[in-house]
C-alpha cells in the first residue's frame, strides 16, 4: 500500500456520519453548484449554534429560504410526494421574489425544472438551486432574533445546503447517508 494512503482513507472514513463508501447506484453528475473553494477540514465541522446566522431581512427572502429548507427536509426524509409538493410550492414562492433579487430568474428556472421529476431528479436540481439560495440568505442577513440558518456541506456529493435545525439531515442521500456532512462556519 502507498505510504500515507491508509491514513488518508481512515481519515476519510471517519467523517461525521459518513461510511466512507460511495453510495451504490449514484449517478455521475457534474457539480455545478458554484466555484471550487478551499474547504475546512470536514472532520472539524462547527456546531449549529456557532455556524448559523440570522436570516432574512425581508418577508420574501424568509419565505424563499423557508420553502427551500422545507424541500430539503422532504428530500432528507426520502418523501417523494412531499418533495414534489414542496418543489411546486417553492416555485410559487420564488416567482414572488422582487425582480431585482439576485439569482431570482435562475432560481425560478431551476425550481421549474424540478416539476415532474422523480426524487433523484429533484435532488440534482436542489444541488444547483443551492448556490443562488445561499447567496440570497447571505445577502439578506437580518438582526438577531430572526430565522437562524446554517450552511451544511456533504463531502460525498460534494454539495451544500441550508438547514435551520441542529443535527445534519443530508438532502442529497436521505436515509442512505442522512448524517453525512458538517456545518460550515458562518
Amino acid at each position: 500500500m502507498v505510504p500515507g494512503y491508509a491514513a488518508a482513507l481512515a481519515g476519510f472514513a471517519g467523517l461525521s456520519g459518513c461510511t466512507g463508501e460511495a453510495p451504490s447506484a449514484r449517478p455521475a453528475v457534474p457539480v455545478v453548484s458554484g466555484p471550487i473553494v478551499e474547504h475546512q477540514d470536514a472532520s472539524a465541522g462547527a456546531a449549529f449554534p456557532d455556524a448559523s446566522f440570522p436570516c432574512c431581512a425581508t418577508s420574501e427572502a424568509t419565505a424563499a429560504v423557508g420553502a427551500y429548507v422545507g424541500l430539503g427536509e422532504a428530500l432528507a426524509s426520502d418523501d417523494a410526494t412531499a418533495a414534489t409538493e414542496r418543489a411546486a410550492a417553492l416555485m410559487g414562492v420564488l416567482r414572488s421574489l422582487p425582480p431585482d433579487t439576485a439569482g431570482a430568474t435562475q432560481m425560478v428556472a431551476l425550481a421549474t425544472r424540478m416539476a415532474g421529476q422523480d426524487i433523484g431528479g429533484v435532488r440534482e436540481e436542489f444541488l444547483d438551486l443551492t448556490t443562488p439560495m445561499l447567496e440570497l440568505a447571505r445577502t439578506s442577513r437580518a438582526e438577531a432574533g430572526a430565522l437562524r440558518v446554517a450552511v451544511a456541506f456533504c463531502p460525498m456529493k460534494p454539495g451544500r445546503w441550508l438547514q435551520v435545525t441542529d443535527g445534519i439531515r443530508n438532502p442529497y442521500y436521505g436515509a442512505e447517508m442522512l448524517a453525512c456532512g458538517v456545518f460550515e462556519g458562518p
Side-chain angles (χ1 to χ4, degrees):
M1 183 168 280
V2 177
Y5 184 71
L9 283 177
F12 184 70
L15 292 174
S16 174
C18 298
T19 64
E21 297 178 17
S24 60
R26 184 170 131 202
V29 177
V31 176
V32 292
S33 64
I36 296 174
V37 295
E38 288 292 320
H39 190 312
Q40 65 187 15
D41 176 10
S43 64
F48 179 83
D50 297 329
S52 65
F53 59 91
C55 179
C56 296
T58 67
S59 60
E60 294 90 358
T62 300
V65 169
Y68 165 89
V69 168
L71 173 57
E73 271 301 310
L75 294 172
S77 298
D78 294 323
D79 188 336
T81 302
T84 301
E85 292 168 356
R86 291 179 183 173
L90 175 62
M91 184 173 51
V93 169
L94 292 173
R95 285 186 172 149
S96 70
L97 287 173
D100 62 338
T101 302
T105 303
Q106 178 188 14
M107 288 188 286
V108 169
L110 290 165
T112 301
R113 288 190 341 212
M114 289 179 186
Q117 293 197 35
D118 65 9
I119 196 166
V122 173
R123 282 184 167 128
E124 291 307 315
E125 299 300 340
F126 187 81
L127 176 67
D128 291 345
L129 178 62
T130 296
T131 297
M133 189 60 68
L134 288 174
E135 184 64 23
L136 174 66
R138 286 180 173 142
T139 61
S140 184
R141 287 186 185 233
E143 298 300 318
L147 174 69
R148 297 208 53 96
V149 298
V151 178
F153 174 76
C154 171
M156 295 295 287
K157 181 67 184 160
R160 290 178 171 76
W161 69 94
L162 287 172
Q163 194 169 305
V164 297
T165 58
D166 199 2
I168 293 292
R169 293 194 39 87
N170 190 321
Y172 299 116
Y173 295 116
E176 187 176 9
M177 291 177 24
L178 186 62
C180 183
V182 294
F183 287 116
E184 297 180 322

